[in-house]
Amino acid sequence: MPLAAPRLADPGALCTDLYELTMLQGFFERGMQDIAVFEFFARRLPDCRNFYLAAGLEQALDYLERLRFEQAELDWLDGLGLFRRDFLDHLAGLRFTGDVDAMAEGTPFFADEPILRITAPLPEAQLVEARLINLLHFQSLIASKAARVALVAPGRRLVDFGMRRAHGAEAAVYAARACYLAGFDASSTVLACAEFGIPASGTMAHSFVQAHAGEAEAFEHFARSLPQAAVLLIDTYDTEAAAAKVVALAPRLAEAGVRIRGVRLDSGDLAAHAHKVRAILDAGGLGEATIFASGNLDEYAIRRLLEAGAPIDGFGVGTLLDTSSDLPALDCAYKLQEYAGQPRRKRSEGKTTWPGRKQVWRRYDADGRCCGDRLTLADERAEGVALVRPAMRGGRRVQPSPGLAQVREHARRQLESLPSALRGLEPAPGYPVEVSAAMRALAATADRLSGG
Amino acid sequence: MPLAAPRLADPGALCTDLYELTMLQGFFERGMQDIAVFEFFARRLPDCRNFYLAAGLEQALDYLERLRFEQAELDWLDGLGLFRRDFLDHLAGLRFTGDVDAMAEGTPFFADEPILRITAPLPEAQLVEARLINLLHFQSLIASKAARVALVAPGRRLVDFGMRRAHGAEAAVYAARACYLAGFDASSTVLACAEFGIPASGTMAHSFVQAHAGEAEAFEHFARSLPQAAVLLIDTYDTEAAAAKVVALAPRLAEAGVRIRGVRLDSGDLAAHAHKVRAILDAGGLGEATIFASGNLDEYAIRRLLEAGAPIDGFGVGTLLDTSSDLPALDCAYKLQEYAGQPRRKRSEGKTTWPGRKQVWRRYDADGRCCGDRLTLADERAEGVALVRPAMRGGRRVQPSPGLAQVREHARRQLESLPSALRGLEPAPGYPVEVSAAMRALAATADRLSGG
């Protein structure tokens, strides 16, 4: 159940790059308000990602719906000495009135495939560039990483533990959302749970143990205080000795109706400790108590633990996930594809892009596995399912947002439909994405129009 | 000049990890409110950092001063079914009433050196763990990276361009602050400039050029619209051809009183383009126009460009800086050092920490270069300057916050005082940090107290 009044405030219209505003003044002076088409896409897939997972659309649409400059913001801009007063007055009335077409959140995507298209008067479409990238990039970044973790640990409980080293509060909250969307079960970030209705999860810190005279006292005290969720952290001093203390404590707690749900390991050789602790718990009659592991985990560490047969029931994944540490940023862009009815294409060295409004068609085989995409112009038809669909018309959503649970279910089915090579951690042979002949022809036209 | 009403809102008391709250209920039930001492420190320096730079204290103190639970937040917590109502009622009155001692922002620090100490009743000191780490970790992470960029490019104009791929709005804003603090000159993130009075900077995007029929028209239009800040992006199609268009345009603009300030390169071989463009501009009478470069830059790329003698006057540094991509997180912690007058120390494998309240003494040689630190107990004396100083007493700042300009000047002098090996990019021999005999003795005592 989300919190009624969200605390993660909209940072407002000044959350943009300065050049968006200087360009807008240029457009304003020349009356350049024709319809522009921008698309957001990623340029390539590195070896450590076999697919990306689209996320952040919900926050992008919220941003577009709320976009407006407050008077105090305009006054502050005035003080920069860069802007004409008539331009700032014009900004006061600016709203996003355009169209958005997008892939549903939770859809896998590949290089050059747009996950969002903006069709709007040029100034509106330009102004929103920086924040749209900021929102779509980050959640897609984390969802893409989290999906790898989820795919490698089926049936295990996965909890996002990343708040403290996420890059700020917004990063922590949106990372939690992206993880849940991609298949995680819960988050320890309370604000994210409050904002999005994500199940909240957490155990105890070493400091809880340290603040007590001894571990046994700390364990008993915690379990009695939180009988419905008692997971005890047992690695503060000596892991196996602590497991034995848990076993010794259990009968007395059981008499009081308190059941120990599990233990958490957070350091050392997690597989070796898990085996020993499992044996201690089982021998002590705590066969139902689960073992939860954390500490510098990512999809590779979790795979190693599972391959070693470590009896671990769940994983807390933090820093390496919430910072997407092996790929802290995607090579992505929000590029002008068309202005005033003419296709546009940038040809900067190493950064050439496909022009025009695009559609992505995804084909599926008889088993329901996707087997190839086709990148076409938006008005072409092709075999398969069209992934880029209307999300907003005239500045308003075309339908109520799907809840996060529905997005998560969509992502689960989408991930299931990926070819098995793409679902693994090893670099897979490139997923086939064909470019239509009409798009190639348009690229040549765009080059000719710009004097290429 | 900062904006009067900041838009980057305090995310509130729910911006924490769930376990802080479950532990607090445990403390509440047993009346555990004795004074606890926690310290925040980094565990080690990787090869890609010769020092860290402390940042984020200002936001940490803001957070502590404002900390309180709103009724709606408590009601939401109630709905989780984990907490007793009398505990939630108690939370309603909770404020931070403790002491903070800290290193000044802009001070270099090394492994095991606390940059912040909290001395407060245990529940208060525990509750703030997750958000304090979140704030101090991120800004210190970015300041540490930005300082390397600043040290490698003396005399060059450095602008933070990272908003779009920073991990959310808060990350973009605090990254801009950390970069400026560490020696950058400006940021393109408007909200950061509005919040902190950082100079705003920006040029134009490829889309501005693309929206026009040709480059020459786009350049003239932009320069006339922004005569005081006209920097023209010249790599959309062909860099040298565009430089020639700039030269051809200059006389007509000069007649209108508009001077072209410079050009920006954003792709290709930046050194080669800079040499050619410099020659074109100089031959065309634009010797005063500067060359600004951007595009996938970090301290290594900038050093290569400068070593190649590239005539580049300034750099826009974005993604690799604002995500600290070579080190997206620090190995840092906020650990209980003392409770109810007794030293505490965790002994989890590979994570042993020094116990007790600490001080860091920094010694300087005759040239004003720092030459070694000594980690002592807080009540010891040692040679040099004591770096951990009172910042808050009884929940209130002991003095008004230094402005960001003052912090930046402090950082500049501190970076100048570092041994030259540490100021370079290559891994330097470890900076000497000695641990006092009294601290070693205390560690043994702490182990004995916890049954070690």
Side-chain angles (χ1 to χ4, degrees):
Chain A
M1 181 70 157
L3 187 67
R7 290 305 305 260
L8 196 69
D10 171 15
L14 293 188
C15 189
T16 190
D17 274 331
L18 183 68
Y19 79 0
E20 315 289 9
L21 296 171
T22 54
M23 288 190 283
L24 251 62
Q25 176 163 277
F27 298 146
F28 172 75
E29 291 184 356
R30 300 287 170 119
M32 292 174 71
Q33 316 196 41
D34 285 328
I35 295 296
V37 177
F38 283 78
E39 289 178 346
F40 176 82
F41 58 93
R43 285 202 182 87
R44 59 183 195 90
L45 285 159
D47 280 349
C48 60
R49 297 291 181 275
N50 288 327
F51 60 89
Y52 295 132
L53 197 65
L57 176 62
E58 178 64 22
Q59 283 65 46
L61 298 178
D62 280 348
Y63 162 69
L64 294 173
E65 280 191 344
R66 290 193 295 223
L67 182 67
R68 66 194 56 206
F69 287 89
E70 307 285 344
Q71 193 55 50
E73 295 168 336
L74 295 170
D75 292 344
W76 181 83
L77 286 173
D78 197 22
L80 289 180
L82 293 173
F83 302 108
R84 293 164 42 163
R85 194 68 231 189
D86 58 347
F87 168 65
L88 294 175
D89 290 344
H90 163 78
L91 278 190
L94 187 146
R95 303 287 182 271
F96 182 77
T97 64
D99 296 345
V100 179
D101 296 85
M103 280 194 201
E105 291 193 271
T107 304
F109 67 101
F110 302 93
D112 293 332
E113 297 183 345
I115 65 168
L116 176 131
R117 174 167 64 242
I118 298 286
T119 307
L122 179 60
E124 298 172 24
Q126 181 69 64
L127 173 63
V128 300
E129 175 187 36
R131 180 59 167 162
L132 278 186
I133 297 177
N134 179 263
L135 286 166
L136 293 171
H137 168 266
F138 179 62
Q139 281 201 52
S140 296
L141 177 77
I142 302 302
S144 302
K145 175 84 171 168
R148 289 167 64 85
V149 177
L151 286 170
V152 90
R156 260 61 176 196
R157 178 172 168 79
L158 295 173
V159 183
D160 158 46
F161 267 15
M163 177 188 154
R164 58 194 57 196
R165 292 197 197 83
H167 291 182
E170 191 177 286
V173 170
Y174 288 158
R177 182 180 186 274
C179 290
Y180 186 65
L181 181 162
F184 270 55
D185 297 289
S187 172
S188 64
T189 304
V190 181
L191 185 57
C193 301
E195 297 265 337
F196 298 117
I198 298 167
S201 181
T203 61
M204 65 200 296
H206 297 104
S207 53
F208 191 89
V209 175
Q210 293 173 277
H212 287 78
E215 276 180 314
E217 181 188 324
F219 293 162
E220 176 161 5
H221 175 182
F222 191 79
R224 286 182 184 272
S225 171
L226 210 71
Q228 63 279 65
V231 176
L232 306 172
L233 177 62
I234 60 172
D235 76 325
T236 305
Y237 306 116
D238 177 301
T239 300
E240 285 75 34
K245 292 175 193 172
V246 171
V247 165
L249 178 66
R252 192 161 66 250
L253 285 175
E255 281 175 24
V258 175
R259 187 166 67 81
I260 294 169
R261 297 298 176 103
V263 298
R264 174 160 74 103
L265 312 174
D266 187 50
S267 57
D269 180 337
L270 293 171
H273 284 307
H275 279 293
K276 290 182 202 165
V277 167
R278 183 74 271 159
I280 293 167
L281 296 176
D282 288 350
L286 293 179
E288 287 184 11
T290 58
I291 297 180
F292 192 81
S294 59
N296 223 25
L297 295 180
D298 63 6
E299 65 269 39
Y300 300 100
I302 291 172
R303 185 176 63 173
R304 277 194 302 275
L305 289 168
L306 294 177
E307 285 178 352
I312 298 176
D313 305 286
F315 298 95
V317 193
T319 303
L320 302 180
L321 171 60
D322 279 31
T323 64
S324 187
S325 66
D326 60 340
L327 185 72
L330 307 181
D331 185 4
C332 61
Y334 173 85
K335 287 293 166 198
L336 180 67
Q337 309 294 347
E338 184 188 311
Y339 178 59
Q342 299 292 337
R344 308 284 161 157
R345 150 147 124 151
K346 169 177 159 188
R347 291 199 312 280
S348 308
E349 295 162 56
K351 292 185 178 179
T352 301
T353 60
W354 294 108
R357 309 179 191 208
K358 297 174 203 66
Q359 183 54 276
V360 180
W361 300 86
R362 183 156 295 165
R363 284 175 293 113
Y364 293 84
D365 65 18
D367 298 328
R369 290 284 168 105
C370 51
C371 51
D373 289 359
R374 192 170 177 83
L375 193 63
T376 70
L377 298 177
D379 55 8
E380 288 186 80
R381 296 283 311 170
E383 191 188 345
V385 177
L387 300 180
V388 180
R389 298 179 194 168
M392 194 176 254
R393 287 293 176 266
R396 292 285 161 254
R397 283 172 161 89
V398 296
Q399 57 195 19
S401 294
L404 186 55
Q406 189 180 328
V407 171
R408 186 167 181 265
E409 174 59 18
H410 173 70
R412 191 189 62 72
R413 279 184 277 110
Q414 288 277 306
L415 293 173
E416 260 183 18
S417 78
L418 286 175
S420 59
L422 269 62
R423 295 161 49 90
L425 301 187
E426 308 314 323
Y431 178 82
V433 180
E434 296 165 9
V435 176
S436 77
M439 172 144 321
R440 293 182 188 281
L442 188 71
T445 304
D447 291 353
R448 203 167 54 241
L449 282 170
S450 63
Chain B
M1 179 70 155
L3 185 69
R7 290 303 305 258
L8 195 69
D10 170 15
L14 293 189
C15 189
T16 190
D17 275 330
L18 183 68
Y19 79 1
E20 315 290 8
L21 296 171
T22 54
M23 288 190 285
L24 251 61
Q25 176 162 279
F27 297 147
F28 173 74
E29 291 183 356
R30 300 289 170 118
M32 291 175 72
Q33 317 196 40
D34 284 329
I35 296 297
V37 177
F38 281 79
E39 289 178 346
F40 177 81
F41 58 94
R43 285 201 181 88
R44 58 184 196 92
L45 286 158
D47 280 350
C48 60
R49 296 292 182 275
N50 288 327
F51 62 88
Y52 294 133
L53 196 64
L57 177 61
E58 179 64 21
Q59 283 66 45
L61 298 178
D62 280 348
Y63 162 68
L64 294 173
E65 279 191 343
R66 290 192 294 224
L67 181 67
R68 67 194 58 207
F69 287 89
E70 308 286 345
Q71 192 56 49
E73 295 168 337
L74 295 170
D75 291 344
W76 182 84
L77 287 173
D78 197 21
L80 290 179
L82 293 173
F83 301 109
R84 294 164 40 164
R85 194 68 230 188
D86 58 347
F87 167 65
L88 295 174
D89 291 344
H90 163 78
L91 277 190
L94 186 147
R95 302 288 182 273
F96 182 76
T97 64
D99 297 344
V100 179
D101 297 85
M103 282 194 199
E105 290 193 272
T107 304
F109 67 101
F110 302 93
D112 293 333
E113 297 183 345
I115 65 168
L116 177 131
R117 174 168 62 243
I118 298 285
T119 307
L122 178 59
E124 298 173 23
Q126 181 70 64
L127 173 63
V128 299
E129 175 188 35
R131 179 61 166 159
L132 278 186
I133 296 177
N134 180 263
L135 286 167
L136 293 171
H137 167 267
F138 179 62
Q139 280 202 53
S140 296
L141 177 77
I142 302 302
S144 302
K145 175 84 170 169
R148 290 166 63 85
V149 178
L151 287 171
V152 91
R156 260 62 177 197
R157 176 171 170 79
L158 295 174
V159 182
D160 158 44
F161 267 15
M163 177 188 153
R164 59 193 58 197
R165 292 197 197 85
H167 291 182
E170 190 177 287
V173 170
Y174 288 157
R177 182 180 187 274
C179 290
Y180 187 65
L181 180 162
F184 270 54
D185 297 289
S187 173
S188 63
T189 304
V190 180
L191 185 57
C193 301
E195 296 266 336
F196 299 117
I198 297 167
S201 181
T203 63
M204 67 200 295
H206 297 105
S207 54
F208 191 88
V209 175
Q210 293 173 278
H212 288 79
E215 276 180 313
E217 181 190 321
F219 294 162
E220 176 162 4
H221 174 181
F222 192 78
R224 287 181 185 272
S225 171
L226 210 71
Q228 62 280 65
V231 176
L232 306 172
L233 178 62
I234 60 172
D235 76 326
T236 305
Y237 306 116
D238 177 299
T239 300
E240 285 74 36
K245 292 175 193 171
V246 172
V247 165
L249 179 67
R252 190 160 70 248
L253 286 175
E255 282 173 22
V258 174
R259 187 167 66 81
I260 293 170
R261 297 299 176 101
V263 297
R264 175 160 75 103
L265 313 174
D266 188 50
S267 57
D269 180 335
L270 293 172
H273 284 307
H275 279 294
K276 291 181 202 165
V277 167
R278 182 76 270 159
I280 294 168
L281 296 176
D282 289 350
L286 292 179
E288 287 185 11
T290 58
I291 297 179
F292 192 80
S294 58
N296 222 23
L297 296 179
D298 63 6
E299 65 268 40
Y300 300 100
I302 291 173
R303 184 174 65 174
R304 278 193 302 274
L305 289 168
L306 294 177
E307 284 177 353
I312 298 176
D313 304 286
F315 298 94
V317 193
T319 303
L320 302 181
L321 172 60
D322 280 31
T323 64
S324 187
S325 66
D326 60 341
L327 185 72
L330 307 181
D331 185 3
C332 61
Y334 174 84
K335 285 294 165 197
L336 180 67
Q337 308 294 347
E338 184 188 310
Y339 178 59
Q342 299 291 339
R344 308 284 161 158
R345 150 148 124 150
K346 169 177 157 187
R347 290 198 314 279
S348 307
E349 295 162 57
K351 293 186 177 177
T352 301
T353 60
W354 294 108
R357 308 179 191 209
K358 296 173 204 66
Q359 182 55 276
V360 180
W361 301 86
R362 183 157 294 167
R363 283 174 293 114
Y364 292 85
D365 65 18
D367 298 326
R369 289 284 168 103
C370 51
C371 52
D373 288 0
R374 192 169 176 82
L375 193 63
T376 71
L377 298 176
D379 56 6
E380 287 186 82
R381 297 284 311 172
E383 192 188 343
V385 177
L387 299 180
V388 180
R389 298 179 194 167
M392 194 176 254
R393 288 291 178 267
R396 292 285 160 255
R397 283 174 162 88
V398 297
Q399 57 196 17
S401 295
L404 186 55
Q406 188 180 329
V407 171
R408 186 167 181 265
E409 174 58 20
H410 173 71
R412 191 189 62 74
R413 281 185 275 109
Q414 288 277 307
L415 293 173
E416 260 184 18
S417 78
L418 285 176
S420 59
L422 268 61
R423 293 161 49 91
L425 301 188
E426 309 314 324
Y431 178 82
V433 179
E434 296 165 10
V435 176
S436 77
M439 171 142 327
R440 294 182 188 281
L442 188 71
T445 304
D447 292 352
R448 203 166 54 241
L449 282 170
S450 63

